[in-house]
Amino acid sequence: MFNQIAYQFHSTVHTKNMKKTGLLLLLIQVIVGCRLDAAGLDLSPAKWIWYPSERTLQNTFILFRKEITLDKDLVSAKGWVIADSRYQLFVNGQRVQWGPAPFDPRWQEADPVDISRYLKRGKNVIGCQVLYYGTGDGTSPLGMPGFLMNITIDGKEIITDGSWKSFLARSWNPGQYKRWYLRALQENFDARIFPYGWDTANFTETGEWIFAQELSGKAGKSSGSNGNSNYQLDISGNVDSQLRERSIPLMKENNVAVKQLTEAYWIDWKMPCENYFDMKVPHAFAASPIVPLPEFKNTTLTIAPNGGKAAALTFEFNRQSVGWPYFTIDAPEGTVIEMLVHEAHKPGGDVLINTHFNSWSRFICKEGMNTFSPFDFESFRWVQLHVHNFNRPVTISKIGLLRRQFDYTLEPRIVISDTVIQKVMDASVNTLYNSAQDIIVDGMARERQQYSGDGSHQLHPLYQAFGEARLPARFVSTFSQGITVDGYFLDSWPAYDRLARLQQRSINWGYWGSIVDHGVGFCMDSYNYYLYTGDRTPLQEAYPRIVKFFRFLQSMVDQKDGLLKVEDLGVTCVWMDHIAFKQQKHKQLSFNLYVSAMTGYSLYELSKVFGDTETAKQAKIFSENILSHCVAKYWSNEEKIFIDNKPWMEEEKEVRYSDRALATALLFHQCPGNDEKKSVEILKTFPASMGVSYPCNAVWRYWALAENGEVETLLSDLRNKWGNMPSVWENTTLQEDWNAGYDGSSQWSHCAVAPIVLLYQGLAGAKPLSPGGKKYRIFPQPGDLRLIDVDIQTLAGAVTFTSKGVKGSRTIFLNVPHECEVELWLDSRENIGLTVVEKTGKGITKYRVKGGSKLTLKLAYT
C-alpha cells in the first residue's frame, strides 16, 4: 500500500562527515532552528514595532535601522528575527537573510539569525527591510504588520523597541495593487527616491526617519496580537497565538549564471506601455527583431536609443530554478525596466513574455549604475528586460540568479543506464529543489500553496532520496493548523486561497471550496510520519485535529446509499482529480474507496499509537461500512471490477473506469474475494473507457502496477510519457499537465514527482515494514534496465541498491546498514541461500537479510 509508506526520520541534525562516510542521520534532536515540538518562543524584552501609523496599506515597505557601537572584537552575535509579512535583513550594507518561512498567522515561526561575521569594532548598523502584504498572498493568508528581533551580542541584548528608527520607503508605492489573486506584490521600485546607504554607518538620517512605534503585542505571541490597524480585513488580535522557533533550516542561496541572450526586439508602443502592463490591453504595440542580435560578450551588452522605441531583451538559463533574478544597468535617470519572468517561452513566440500571471516587476533608474533584483523570489527559466525611456546608450551586465533551495544535507545518488529515464530522474530532483523549500507546494511560479493529496507525494522522495525529515515534519504541523471549526482542513494551508474560497462558496459564488479529499490524504501523510520514525512529536498537535476531521467525514454520509457525498457539500468540495472523471458524480467511488482506506488503515493505526482505542474501533467499523456500500453500488459481479458509473451506465451508454479507483482497490485489497485480475488488466492496458489522472496523481496507478509486477508498463510510461515532456528536456523539470504549452499559464515545474517515487518504491520496491523503518522491504523489479544504482535512505543509514545486467543474467548488490533488517522479495524460482520468511501465493518468496549484510546475488528470473 504505497500511499502508506512515506519513509520518515526523526528530527535530526546531519553532520558533514556523513556525506563522506555514507553513515546517515545522526540521531540527535536539533536544538536550534529545527525543533519540532510546540514549545513557544518568547523574545522579551523585545517589542513588536512598526512605523507610527493609524493604518498600513497593502504592499507597504518599512525600513528599520539601529546603530550600535562595539568597543572590542566580537565573539558571538546570535538571536531571532520575525516580521509580518516578509523581511530582508542587512548588517553594515551586507545582505544577511530573507524570511520568514510561510506560517499560519496564529503560530508564526521566528528565524534564527547569526550576524557575528558582519559586525566589526566601532560603529555598526543593523537594518531590516519589511514588506507587509496586507491583502493576502499564496503563502500569507492574513496577519498584522510588525517587526520583532532579539539578538545577543557577547552577552548584551539588542532588541527591537522604540529606540529604532523607521522609514516609510516610498520608492515602493504603498498600496500598490496585487500581482494577481495569489501573489501579493506587483513590485514597482523607483531608485531615484530610495535612501541608498541607509543600512551603513556613514548614512545621515533625514527628518523622515522617525522613532518606531512599540506595539501592544507580546514578544511570545504572533503579530496577530499587535492590535495595530488592519483596515483591509478588520480583524482583531488572536490572544491565543504563539510565537515559535523556526522548525527547518534557513534556505541556502547560490549564484547561477545566465546562459545566453536569446532574442531581442524593438517595441513601438501605440499607447503608454503602462496601460498595457496595468490592463493587458490587446494590440498595444508593434514589434520588430533587433538585427543582428546585440553582442552579449562577457555577460555585457549595450543598447543605443532608437527613436523612442523600447527594447525587449530575452535571456535564458540552463534550467528552471527558484530565486531572485538580478542585473546591473548603466542608464540615464528615469530609464524604466520591466523585468518579466516565465517558465516556458518559445523563441519566435510571444514578443513580450507577459503571459504567466503578470509575472513582472518594474524598476526606475537613478542616474548611472543601478543594480536591481525583485524583493520576492521567482520561479523561471526565462528573464526578459523591457527597457524604455532612455536617451543615451544603456549597458546591461551581471545578469544572474540568486537561487534559493532547502538546505538538504544529502543529494540523491541516482544512476540509470537508460538516458531518457536518467533525464526524467534529473528533472524529478530539480523539480523537488523548486517545489519543496520552506513549505511543500505544487508550483512556485503560480500560487505557491501547500497541498496534501497530490502535493504531498513529494514527501516520499524527500525521505528516500534526500534523507530529509525536518521539512516533512513541518508539513505535518502547518497543514494540521488549517482545521476549521466545522472539522475539515483547509487543503492548502498556509495560504490566502482557501480563506477567500470560504467566502465565495458561502454564497455559491464559484466552484472551488476546501478540498475534502486533500484532508483524507493528510491523514495518510500523518500516519506515514509515524510509520517511518516511531516519533509522535509533530503528531501530538495534529492528531486531535485528525479525529475532528474524522467526525466531519462521518457527517458526510448520505443515508440513501450509505456513502459519502461528492456533490452539494456546501462550502467544501470533493476534487480527486480534474481530468480522470467525466462527471462529478463519477468521483463518488474513488473518494469513498480512498476514505475507507484511510480510516481502516491510517486512522486506525494512528489511533492505536495514541492509545485511543475507541476512535480506532469506530474508524475500522466506518471503513468496513463504507467499503461494503461501495461494493453494493459500484462492484460488477459480472465483470469483477469496480465501475465508476455503474448506476448510470444505461443512460450514459458507456462504461467508465478510473485509474484512481482501480489503483486504490488494488493497493488496499478492496476487491471482493481479492478478485483483482480485471482491475490489473484495465490499469495495464489503458483503454479509452478509463479516466486517467493528471501527472500529479499518476503515481497511484504506478503504485498499483508495481505491486502486481507490471514493471514493463511502468518503464514504457517513463520513456514515452514522462520522457516526452518538453519540460524535462528544456527546463529539467516535470510539468503540471501531460500537454503543457509555451508562453502561457502552464506550470513547467510542478509537484508531479511520480517518476522518482516509482524508482524507489517500484523499481527498487523499497518501503519500511515497521515503525521507525527498522525493518525495510526491498522488492527489485528492474525490468529491461541494465543498470540501476541508488542509495535508499533509511533511519539507520543508506541501503545501497545496485542492479546490473538483464533478466536471465542479473546481479543484485545490497549493502544493508546496521540496525536495519531487510525483507527481500524475489521470484520464488530464484535459488539463493537466505533465510526464508514466507512464500506467498503469487510466486514471491520473502527472505530475511540481517543488518550489516553485504550481498551479491546472481538472479535468473528477476
Side-chain angles (χ1 to χ4, degrees):
M1 293 179 287
F2 277 89
N3 200 50
Q4 301 303 320
I5 62 172
Y7 167 59
Q8 179 65 57
F9 307 104
H10 258 293
S11 170
T12 55
V13 60
H14 308 301
T15 63
K16 298 298 181 183
N17 303 354
M18 292 180 176
K19 291 184 180 180
K20 301 177 182 178
T21 64
L23 297 176
L24 207 136
L25 301 169
L26 180 63
L27 301 182
I28 301 174
Q29 183 73 31
V30 175
I31 297 175
V32 177
C34 303
R35 285 179 55 173
L36 296 180
D37 60 25
L41 174 68
D42 193 337
L43 298 187
S44 298
K47 303 289 186 181
W48 281 99
I49 61 173
W50 195 243
Y51 186 79
S53 55
E54 294 187 8
R55 72 172 185 176
T56 301
L57 300 177
Q58 66 180 17
N59 290 326
T60 291
F61 283 83
I62 305 296
L63 306 182
F64 294 96
R65 188 173 189 274
K66 178 72 172 180
E67 293 185 0
I68 60 174
T69 301
L70 302 178
D71 57 6
K72 61 180 180 179
D73 292 336
L74 181 70
V75 175
S76 175
K78 298 179 181 181
W80 301 91
V81 59
I82 178 72
D84 194 340
S85 305
R86 300 291 183 265
Y87 72 85
Q88 193 172 21
L89 186 66
F90 300 89
V91 174
N92 293 330
Q94 298 183 69
R95 183 182 190 276
V96 178
Q97 64 193 46
W98 189 97
F103 46 63
D104 183 303
R106 297 163 295 179
W107 294 283
Q108 295 176 349
E109 292 187 1
D111 290 341
V113 60
D114 184 347
I115 62 172
S116 306
R117 66 188 180 95
Y118 300 97
L119 296 174
K120 62 183 187 301
R121 182 181 295 194
K123 188 177 178 181
N124 295 266
V125 172
I126 302 173
C128 196
Q129 176 177 293
V130 179
L131 165 64
Y132 176 60
Y133 285 140
T135 53
D137 184 84
T139 55
S140 181
L142 48 82
M144 292 285 194
F147 167 49
L148 178 69
M149 187 171 71
N150 187 322
I151 295 179
T152 300
I153 301 179
D154 284 353
K156 180 181 179 181
E157 285 185 312
I158 301 297
I159 61 172
T160 47
D161 57 19
S163 67
W164 284 64
K165 289 295 186 68
S166 64
F167 177 84
L168 175 59
R170 301 195 64 86
S171 43
W172 294 275
N173 183 36
Q176 174 74 7
Y177 52 80
K178 294 177 69 171
R179 174 180 285 190
W180 81 290
Y181 171 54
L182 291 176
R183 289 293 299 277
L185 180 63
Q186 186 88 76
E187 188 165 3
N188 193 331
F189 174 80
D190 191 339
R192 296 171 298 181
I193 56 174
F194 184 71
Y196 284 99
W198 69 278
D199 51 357
T200 65
N202 296 326
F203 181 72
T204 301
E205 296 173 357
T206 66
E208 292 185 70
W209 287 85
I210 59 179
F211 286 109
Q213 175 186 1
E214 293 185 3
L215 303 174
S216 61
K218 303 299 183 182
K221 294 183 180 295
S222 74
S223 63
S225 68
N226 282 340
N228 50 0
S229 177
N230 185 325
Y231 78 100
Q232 295 102 330
L233 296 171
D234 190 25
I235 58 174
S236 59
N238 185 330
V239 295
D240 295 325
S241 68
Q242 182 187 57
L243 189 65
R244 297 179 176 181
E245 299 177 9
R246 185 181 175 107
S247 54
I248 53 173
L250 293 166
M251 298 296 103
K252 69 176 183 179
E253 300 172 355
N254 59 285
N255 283 288
V256 178
V258 70
K259 178 183 178 182
Q260 64 185 28
L261 171 69
T262 303
E263 289 182 305
Y265 286 91
W266 290 117
I267 307 294
D268 190 2
W269 287 98
K270 300 177 182 179
M271 62 180 66
C273 69
E274 291 78 9
N275 291 18
Y276 167 79
F277 283 104
D278 286 347
M279 303 290 290
K280 291 294 288 290
V281 181
H283 314 298
F285 62 87
S288 58
I290 298 179
V291 180
L293 192 69
E295 184 179 17
F296 188 47
K297 187 176 182 180
N298 297 323
T299 67
T300 301
L301 64 85
T302 298
I303 299 291
N306 182 13
K309 295 180 180 179
L313 311 170
T314 307
F315 302 86
E316 66 176 291
F317 288 77
N318 282 316
R319 60 178 54 192
Q320 185 169 346
S321 304
V322 170
W324 293 271
Y326 57 81
F327 68 98
T328 295
I329 183 169
D330 181 354
E333 180 179 353
T335 300
V336 181
I337 305 99
E338 280 85 19
M339 172 187 278
L340 301 93
V341 297
H342 208 295
E343 295 183 86
H345 171 60
K346 194 174 186 65
D350 286 7
V351 172
L352 289 180
I353 59 175
N354 187 29
T355 54
H356 200 63
F357 303 101
N358 305 297
S359 297
W360 58 266
S361 301
R362 177 177 291 136
F363 306 104
I364 304 173
C365 295
K366 61 181 176 60
E367 177 63 39
M369 299 298 293
N370 297 262
T371 296
F372 292 126
S373 182
F375 175 81
D376 205 353
F377 58 84
E378 307 280 7
S379 179
F380 63 97
R381 188 168 80 88
W382 297 87
V383 171
Q384 185 177 77
L385 303 180
H386 173 251
V387 186
H388 55 104
N389 199 37
F390 57 103
N391 57 14
R392 66 166 174 83
V394 298
T395 298
I396 299 170
S397 62
K398 300 178 182 177
I399 303 170
L401 157 71
L402 182 62
R403 187 175 192 181
R404 79 188 302 261
Q405 294 174 243
F406 187 86
D407 192 11
Y408 296 105
T409 303
L410 298 170
E411 295 182 2
R413 188 179 67 84
I414 300 173
V415 181
I416 298 176
S417 55
D418 187 298
T419 55
V420 172
I421 295 178
Q422 180 69 59
K423 183 66 176 177
V424 171
M425 295 306 160
D426 294 343
S428 299
V429 171
N430 191 49
T431 296
L432 284 163
Y433 284 142
N434 292 341
S435 59
Q437 297 201 343
D438 37 26
I439 54 176
I440 305 292
V441 306
D442 61 347
M444 282 292 185
R446 192 168 63 198
E447 65 264 39
R448 303 177 176 180
Q449 295 185 141
Q450 176 170 269
Y451 290 100
S452 185
D454 50 7
S456 63
H457 297 323
Q458 296 173 92
L459 299 175
H460 294 274
L462 293 188
Y463 306 136
Q464 295 186 301
F466 289 87
E468 180 55 51
R470 297 161 295 182
L471 186 54
R474 188 174 194 267
F475 168 84
V476 170
S477 297
T478 54
F479 193 98
S480 79
Q481 291 164 356
I483 191 82
T484 67
V485 293
D486 291 322
Y488 55 85
F489 288 104
L490 293 166
D491 52 275
S492 55
W493 195 265
Y496 172 73
D497 173 276
R498 290 311 178 219
L499 289 177
R501 300 302 189 199
L502 294 180
Q503 303 172 57
Q504 297 165 7
R505 291 291 294 160
S506 294
I507 58 171
N508 199 28
W509 188 271
Y511 175 74
W512 294 111
S514 296
I515 300 175
V516 181
D517 42 289
H518 278 317
V520 176
F522 173 67
C523 296
M524 290 182 165
D525 298 330
S526 296
Y527 177 64
N528 291 341
Y529 183 86
Y530 176 73
L531 180 60
Y532 288 87
T533 66
D535 175 28
R536 304 191 308 176
T537 305
L539 298 170
Q540 290 172 348
E541 187 173 359
Y543 178 69
R545 297 164 179 163
I546 292 172
V547 174
K548 185 177 182 180
F549 176 66
F550 172 50
R551 307 302 176 206
F552 176 78
L553 290 177
Q554 291 175 307
S555 74
M556 288 180 63
V557 175
D558 189 337
Q559 299 305 315
K560 294 179 181 179
D561 59 9
L563 295 172
L564 287 82
K565 299 185 293 184
V566 296
E567 298 178 288
D568 302 321
L569 298 178
V571 171
T572 61
C573 71
V574 170
W575 182 73
M576 298 303 292
D577 198 85
H578 68 291
I579 64 173
F581 305 94
K582 281 192 173 182
Q583 298 186 49
Q584 180 67 20
K585 62 185 178 182
H586 293 175
K587 299 178 181 181
Q588 188 182 40
L589 171 63
S590 292
F591 178 56
N592 278 269
L593 291 177
Y594 194 29
V595 171
S596 177
M598 182 278 287
T599 53
Y601 182 74
S602 300
L603 180 57
Y604 173 73
E605 295 292 342
L606 196 58
S607 298
K608 291 195 299 181
V609 169
F610 282 91
D612 186 358
T613 55
E614 181 58 31
T615 298
K617 178 181 177 181
Q618 292 180 25
K620 183 64 76 173
I621 293 172
F622 184 78
S623 171
E624 292 170 352
N625 286 340
I626 291 296
L627 180 56
S628 67
H629 285 100
C630 282
V631 171
K633 187 172 182 177
Y634 291 103
W635 177 259
S636 170
N637 289 315
E638 296 77 21
E639 298 294 329
K640 305 299 181 185
I641 195 171
F642 282 110
I643 300 175
D644 284 16
N645 69 332
K646 185 175 180 289
W648 314 284
M649 280 194 304
E650 289 187 12
E651 62 184 86
E652 294 176 3
K653 294 181 172 51
E654 66 173 341
V655 175
R656 294 299 302 170
Y657 310 106
S658 66
D659 58 353
R660 184 63 178 275
L662 298 180
T664 304
L666 288 171
L667 290 167
F668 293 91
H669 305 294
Q670 294 169 324
C671 297
N674 286 328
D675 199 337
E676 300 176 340
K677 184 177 180 180
K678 182 67 178 289
S679 299
V680 174
E681 177 188 350
I682 295 295
L683 279 182
K684 177 182 177 181
T685 56
F686 224 97
S689 56
M690 183 178 74
V692 179
S693 299
Y694 87 131
C696 278
N697 282 327
V699 69
W700 284 90
R701 176 171 172 261
Y702 298 148
W703 276 326
L705 289 173
E707 286 294 276
N708 286 276
E710 299 293 343
V711 66
E712 292 80 6
T713 304
L714 305 180
L715 291 173
S716 176
D717 266 25
L718 284 176
R719 293 182 174 112
N720 301 313
K721 291 179 70 70
W722 300 90
N724 280 324
M725 284 183 170
S727 66
V728 167
W729 300 96
E730 297 179 33
N731 288 31
T732 316
T733 53
L734 301 177
Q735 62 202 42
E736 180 180 15
D737 298 305
W738 295 115
N739 298 304
Y742 296 89
D743 294 304
S745 59
S746 295
Q747 287 202 97
W748 277 43
S749 185
H750 199 250
C751 61
V753 293
I756 194 170
V757 176
L758 171 58
L759 168 64
Y760 285 89
Q761 300 179 358
L763 304 185
K767 71 172 184 178
L769 299 177
S770 64
K774 293 182 179 180
K775 187 176 182 181
Y776 219 84
R777 185 196 80 171
I778 301 293
F779 180 20
Q781 299 184 80
D784 63 7
L785 293 176
R786 292 182 172 272
L787 175 65
I788 301 176
D789 190 12
V790 297
D791 288 335
I792 303 162
Q793 306 301 339
T794 78
L795 187 65
V799 175
T800 300
F801 172 84
T802 306
S803 171
K804 291 184 177 181
V806 296
K807 190 171 184 178
S809 180
R810 197 185 305 274
T811 304
I812 298 289
F813 302 90
L814 275 182
N815 190 347
V816 182
H818 294 281
E819 301 181 9
C820 177
E821 179 182 313
V822 163
E823 188 173 279
L824 179 62
W825 292 19
L826 295 173
D827 189 299
S828 294
R829 294 171 292 178
E830 302 289 6
N831 183 20
I832 60 175
L834 295 175
T835 302
V836 174
V837 175
E838 178 189 357
K839 289 182 178 290
T840 72
K842 292 187 175 182
I844 299 295
T845 298
K846 304 176 183 179
Y847 301 91
R848 181 188 178 197
V849 181
K850 296 180 179 180
S853 299
K854 293 183 179 181
L855 299 182
T856 300
L857 303 174
K858 301 290 185 179
L859 304 177
Y861 300 97
T862 298

